[in-house]
Amino acid sequence: MATRRPTYEELESRLAETERALEAIREGKVDAVVGTKDVYVLRLREMEEALREAGEERERRLAAQAALSDISYDILAQTDISGLLNVSAHAARRLTGARLASCGHGYMNGRFRTGATSRDSGIPDCPPGRDFSIRKGGLYMEVLDRTWSFRLTDARMRSHPRWWGLPKGHVPLDGLMGARLMNSDGSPNGMILASHKDKGDFTAEDEGTLSQLAAMTSLALRNLMFQEALEHRVDERTMELEQKASDLQILNREMAVEIGRRAEMEARQKKTEEELRLSNKKVLEEIKERRFLAGRLVKLIERDRSEMGMALHDEAGQWLTALRMELEDIKGGLPPGHLLDKVEVTEKQTTELLGFIRDFSNYLRPASLKRLGVVSSVRGLVEDVKKKMGGEVHFHFKEVPANLHPDKELALYRIIQESLTNIQRHARAGRVFVNLIRKGTTLHLSVEDDGVGFDPQDLERDHGSQGEALGLSIMKERATQVGGDFWIESEKGKGTLACACIPVGDPVEGSGGGPNKIRDENA
Amino acid sequence: MDAPFHSKAGVERVVFRLFVAGDEPHSRAARANLGEFRATRETSPGKIEVVDVFKSPETALENGIFVTPTLIVSSKTSRMVLYGDLSDMGEIARALNLVEGG
């Protein structure tokens, strides 16, 4: 069949139809385009609707993620587990559209330690103070022991083989969705539950969101538990350190006391050692002095023997020689009248001899000391010296005990005797003062003269070579022997003072020859 | 393709030929709207033919139709083409008048 060529009007009409068809395509009014090989279906509106819905879903999901992100700040900002569970329960409602949500933590042996619930005003509250436990094997154990999350419509919840119904007083449920709170190893540590979806049933997206919330809550929970454990450990450590510090303080105080005690002991020990050292030094000095005195004493005895020998030879020998010559004259015969003279001469010589023997005897051992006591004996001694020296010799005594020990009486007498002898020999004194005075338990003796005096250093230089120094040593030894002391002070041209201190000591009953009374007088 | 038919009075009748793509939404709506248009007319506006391009694509091509839904209102001497789901009943009526007016 021959094909007719279309007219201009026909072409124009078809062109207009084509333009209208294209306009219909642009306006989304067509379903399909018919091609030469196939029919192409156009579902632009559906696609637009799908795109719009996808965009809305995307916006909704973004909003949900933003909400989850906002909630994450609240969750991570919590500082205690109770607050965290409350925030999580509220967040579960907000994110899933549930009207009722609860959150429990510390699952152990079928019971939660801490819990929180969030509900809208249309959901009744549980009885106050009611604590529900979760028995093993029930529906809740699905999320705790078997799965990480679940989502059940109300019908499926009630037909679930593990659904045991609700305990008396429990808030009624309408559908149920749960997610596990877990430890770091994934083991269950609690759960978040949601019920009463505001519109329809919970979706898979709700379940995913609840799982994310549970994961975030678990993380925050572990962080808080770690912080609690850390704070507990810090508290324990702080207590340990405080206890150790306290123990250390006590130990320090004890150590300080011990150090003080030891320091005191060391000081006492040092003092004792020093005293011992001084005592040893003193003993050594005394031993040295005693040795020295012993040598001096031997020399003194030798000197006394020599003097006594010389005295006997010079005095007694002369008197006896003269007496023998007078007796030989008598024996040879005398003219009458001379015999009587001779007898008188011999009588005088015998008297002189007796006097010498008495003086000598007194020198060796004053007999008056035992008979009259130290005061009377010293007084006699002073009188003799006064006669021989020809100057003033004063004796002053006060409260001298009458029953002084004989050794002390002898020591005092010898010291006075030696002092007076020295004065007679060397001092060239005009006045001598002898004082014997008791003060308390001590008898103080001083013998002072206004003679030429001497330099004590000269005496020390001549130590051992002169009789004077020897005499002073003997006087010191005598004082020491009876527990006393002796010293001498002198200066050239300014006289000499000899002093002795003798302890009175215990009285001796009946000892001493003197009258039994306190002497107090001057002579 | 069926030829236009004649009325009892011998008047040439108008043919409504609707090209649809299966049960796609616009096509479905166009069928429904065209049916409603016919039902609301006191006299029969003409014969209706529905061509599914999935089944008879060549018919569409022969009629110069390349999109669906497309309605061709035609008589022996005139032809009008409408695109879309025919939700505008007035548009159909205007096309019908034009075609009938010849």
Side-chain angles (χ1 to χ4, degrees):
Chain A
M1 187 174 67
T3 303
R4 183 179 63 89
R5 293 184 63 183
T7 65
Y8 176 78
E9 288 76 14
E10 287 173 342
L11 288 174
E12 192 175 43
S13 174
R14 288 186 182 180
L15 180 61
E17 287 179 6
T18 302
E19 287 178 350
R20 287 174 55 221
L22 292 173
E23 180 66 21
I25 291 172
R26 280 196 290 271
E27 292 177 356
K29 295 179 179 177
V30 299
D31 296 316
V33 174
V34 182
T36 55
K37 293 182 180 178
D38 202 352
V39 176
Y40 303 98
V41 176
L42 298 179
R43 293 173 178 166
L44 297 178
R45 287 191 176 177
E46 288 182 357
M47 288 173 67
E48 286 177 355
E49 184 67 20
L51 283 173
R52 186 184 59 77
E53 289 179 356
E56 289 176 357
E57 178 68 11
R58 181 169 169 274
E59 291 295 327
R60 196 177 57 75
R61 290 191 178 186
L62 284 174
Q65 289 296 322
L68 193 61
S69 176
D70 289 342
I71 287 167
S72 69
Y73 287 110
D74 289 341
I75 285 177
L76 294 176
Q78 296 304 308
T79 56
D80 62 89
I81 292 176
S82 177
L84 173 62
L85 297 180
N86 274 317
V87 168
S88 293
H90 289 304
R93 281 188 52 210
R94 177 182 167 189
L95 294 173
T96 65
R99 298 172 61 202
L100 172 66
S102 63
C103 188
H105 150 69
Y107 168 71
M108 186 176 289
N109 298 325
R111 187 173 288 273
F112 289 143
R113 192 172 64 197
T114 310
T117 301
S118 175
R119 59 173 57 80
D120 71 12
S121 57
I123 302 295
D125 200 356
C126 288
R130 185 73 187 271
D131 184 18
F132 296 106
S133 62
I134 297 175
R135 285 180 296 164
K136 194 143 185 89
L139 180 56
Y140 288 173
M141 297 305 291
E142 286 285 318
V143 71
L144 284 174
D145 287 344
R146 296 166 67 90
T147 62
W148 286 18
S149 66
F150 64 66
R151 174 171 51 93
L152 299 171
T153 62
D154 193 58
R156 289 186 62 193
M157 178 188 78
R158 296 183 190 285
S159 63
H160 195 281
R162 294 176 181 274
W163 176 252
W164 293 345
L166 292 169
K168 188 177 180 182
H170 196 283
V171 179
L173 299 182
D174 181 9
L176 187 62
M177 184 169 65
R180 177 196 291 181
L181 301 181
M182 66 196 93
N183 295 314
S184 56
D185 59 356
S187 59
N189 190 23
M191 68 170 75
I192 302 177
L193 294 171
S195 184
H196 292 276
K197 174 78 173 180
D198 52 357
K199 292 178 183 176
D201 295 320
F202 290 113
T203 64
E205 185 187 347
D206 292 334
E207 185 179 351
T209 302
L210 193 68
S211 295
Q212 288 186 57
L213 178 64
M216 202 179 304
T217 304
S218 298
L219 183 65
L221 200 56
R222 289 200 297 273
N223 185 43
L224 285 177
M225 292 169 71
F226 176 73
Q227 284 185 1
E228 281 186 358
L230 190 63
E231 287 172 2
H232 182 66
R233 180 66 188 134
V234 167
D235 289 343
E236 282 184 345
R237 186 64 179 154
T238 302
M239 287 179 63
E240 286 176 8
L241 289 175
E242 286 176 352
Q243 182 62 43
K244 283 184 179 177
S246 175
D247 293 345
L248 201 58
Q249 282 184 341
I250 292 171
L251 198 60
N252 281 341
R253 283 199 292 270
E254 290 176 353
M255 282 182 68
V257 171
E258 179 64 17
I259 288 170
R261 194 176 65 79
R262 291 193 178 188
E264 189 179 347
M265 286 177 63
E266 286 179 4
R268 282 207 302 266
Q269 187 177 356
K270 282 184 178 177
K271 185 179 177 183
T272 304
E273 287 175 358
E274 181 63 18
E275 288 174 352
L276 192 61
R277 191 182 65 77
L278 292 174
S279 176
N280 286 339
K281 184 179 178 184
K282 190 174 179 181
V283 168
L284 289 173
E285 287 176 351
E286 284 185 0
I287 290 172
K288 185 178 177 182
E289 183 72 13
R290 292 293 175 91
R291 285 177 179 170
F292 172 75
L293 289 175
R296 295 298 173 193
L297 191 59
V298 171
K299 289 183 179 178
L300 182 63
I301 290 170
E302 290 301 322
R303 189 198 72 175
D304 280 353
R305 284 179 177 174
S306 174
E307 287 183 348
M308 283 189 289
M310 288 178 66
L312 287 172
H313 178 268
D314 293 345
E315 294 293 331
Q318 284 183 6
W319 286 115
L320 288 172
T321 301
L323 188 58
R324 189 183 68 186
M325 289 175 65
E326 293 299 332
L327 289 174
E328 285 177 350
D329 287 345
I330 293 170
K331 183 180 175 182
L334 292 173
H338 287 185
L339 181 59
L340 187 57
D341 294 337
K342 284 293 182 181
V343 170
E344 287 177 351
V345 169
T346 56
E347 185 182 8
K348 185 179 179 182
Q349 290 173 338
T350 302
T351 301
E352 293 289 341
L353 183 57
L354 284 172
F356 167 75
I357 291 172
R358 185 182 66 245
D359 292 343
F360 196 71
S361 176
N362 270 333
Y363 173 76
L364 293 176
R365 174 69 186 184
S368 61
L369 196 59
K370 185 176 180 181
R371 182 165 46 87
L372 300 175
V374 67
V375 172
S376 297
S377 298
V378 171
R379 185 187 289 124
L381 191 59
V382 166
E383 289 302 323
D384 286 346
V385 171
K386 193 188 293 181
K387 289 177 184 174
K388 291 176 182 175
M389 197 177 78
E392 297 178 23
V393 182
H394 302 277
F395 177 40
H396 171 71
F397 53 92
K398 186 177 180 182
E399 297 183 359
V400 179
N403 51 356
L404 199 61
H405 195 280
D407 291 344
K408 294 180 179 177
E409 285 187 329
L410 181 60
L412 285 168
Y413 181 83
R414 288 300 189 197
I415 289 170
I416 295 169
Q417 185 183 40
E418 181 68 24
S419 298
L420 292 175
T421 300
N422 287 338
I423 290 170
Q424 289 178 77
R425 285 180 179 170
H426 311 291
R428 297 200 292 273
R431 292 191 299 176
V432 177
F433 297 92
V434 179
N435 299 301
L436 187 58
I437 299 169
R438 174 179 177 172
K439 290 182 180 177
T441 58
T442 305
L443 207 52
H444 296 268
L445 167 66
S446 66
V447 181
E448 186 176 10
D449 67 71
D450 59 352
V452 297
F454 62 92
D455 185 352
Q457 290 184 348
D458 293 342
L459 206 61
E460 289 180 6
R461 280 195 297 272
D462 299 337
H463 209 143
S465 61
Q466 300 296 325
E468 294 75 22
L470 185 60
L472 294 177
S473 298
I474 293 299
M475 285 190 280
K476 181 171 179 62
E477 178 61 17
R478 286 188 185 281
T480 303
Q481 288 291 337
V482 294
D485 197 7
F486 173 85
W487 68 97
I488 194 161
E489 298 174 9
S490 185
E491 190 176 345
K492 281 187 176 178
K494 294 187 178 179
T496 301
L497 172 65
C499 296
C501 293
I502 305 294
V504 174
D506 298 329
V508 178
E509 291 295 333
S511 68
N516 191 17
K517 65 175 183 180
I518 298 298
R519 306 279 183 167
D520 189 1
E521 58 182 293
N522 292 306
Chain B
M1 182 179 179
D2 295 333
F5 62 94
H6 298 274
S7 65
K8 290 178 181 178
V11 177
E12 189 179 12
R13 300 293 301 274
V14 175
V15 175
F16 294 87
R17 185 168 287 150
L18 180 63
F19 294 89
V20 298
D23 199 32
E24 292 297 317
H26 290 308
S27 296
R28 184 171 63 245
R31 269 202 303 266
N33 288 330
L34 184 59
E36 183 180 341
F37 178 78
R38 268 194 71 188
T40 56
R41 306 292 288 187
E42 293 180 355
T43 58
S44 174
K47 183 181 178 183
I48 292 178
E49 292 177 7
V50 176
V51 178
D52 186 347
V53 297
F54 289 134
K55 295 176 182 175
S56 302
E58 69 281 356
T59 304
L61 292 175
E62 286 171 2
N63 283 271
I65 299 304
F66 60 95
V67 295
T68 62
T70 299
L71 176 65
I72 299 175
V73 183
S74 63
S75 64
K76 188 175 181 180
T77 58
S78 184
R79 165 187 160 119
M80 286 296 291
V81 179
L82 300 178
Y83 297 100
D85 59 4
L86 307 179
S87 55
D88 186 354
M89 299 288 180
E91 189 181 30
I92 303 175
R94 283 190 296 275
L96 179 60
N97 289 333
L98 286 174
V99 170
E100 285 178 335

